[in-house]
Amino acid sequence: MMTPFKVKPFMTYLEEKDIDRLKKFAKKKKITMSQVIREGLSARMSEGDPYNAGFNAGIEESIRLIKDNKASQMRFPSGSSFAELMEVDLMKAKILEIA
């Protein structure tokens, strides 16, 4: 199937389970696997996307709730609190918007 725009080949590596999920999803939606990937990249890199903004707002609210919880202020021998460690992991989950 030809796309109505100019495309360049790009190779990436996926785990087998992700390839299987991609194949099933593309078949269910009746689109090519390449189209699914293009749409995913577009959504991930879009600026001001409502999904991304909502997802990130949820992450930020989770960080706030953890920081406000007295039990999460417990410190480990490393000197870091549970809240600080969780914040680092949650920040990694945020969707970075590319301008």
Side-chain angles (χ1 to χ4, degrees):
M1 177 175 155
M2 289 298 278
T3 55
F5 46 88
K6 187 174 180 177
V7 295
K8 290 184 176 184
F10 177 79
M11 187 174 99
T12 189
Y13 295 92
L14 299 174
E15 292 181 20
E16 277 191 51
K17 64 182 174 109
D18 292 329
I19 293 171
D20 292 340
R21 290 178 61 215
L22 176 60
K23 284 179 183 178
K24 288 176 186 174
F25 183 84
K27 185 175 180 178
K28 179 180 175 184
K29 298 294 181 182
K30 296 182 178 152
I31 58 176
T32 65
M33 293 189 321
S34 294
Q35 183 64 31
V36 174
I37 292 169
R38 282 192 294 272
E39 289 174 4
L41 288 171
S42 177
R44 178 72 180 212
M45 295 186 296
S46 66
E47 189 173 352
D49 178 85
Y51 171 82
N52 293 348
F55 181 87
N56 286 341
I59 295 287
E60 289 166 13
E61 179 64 9
S62 297
I63 290 169
R64 187 190 67 72
L65 289 170
I66 290 169
K67 282 182 169 181
D68 289 349
N69 184 297
K70 290 190 188 300
S72 70
Q73 301 309 313
M74 171 188 68
R75 297 225 172 248
F76 292 101
S78 67
S80 298
S81 72
F82 178 77
E84 291 165 345
L85 296 172
M86 290 304 301
E87 180 178 5
V88 169
D89 284 345
L90 286 168
M91 289 301 286
K92 290 177 188 174
K94 281 183 78 170
I95 296 174
L96 300 177
E97 295 187 29
I98 309 297

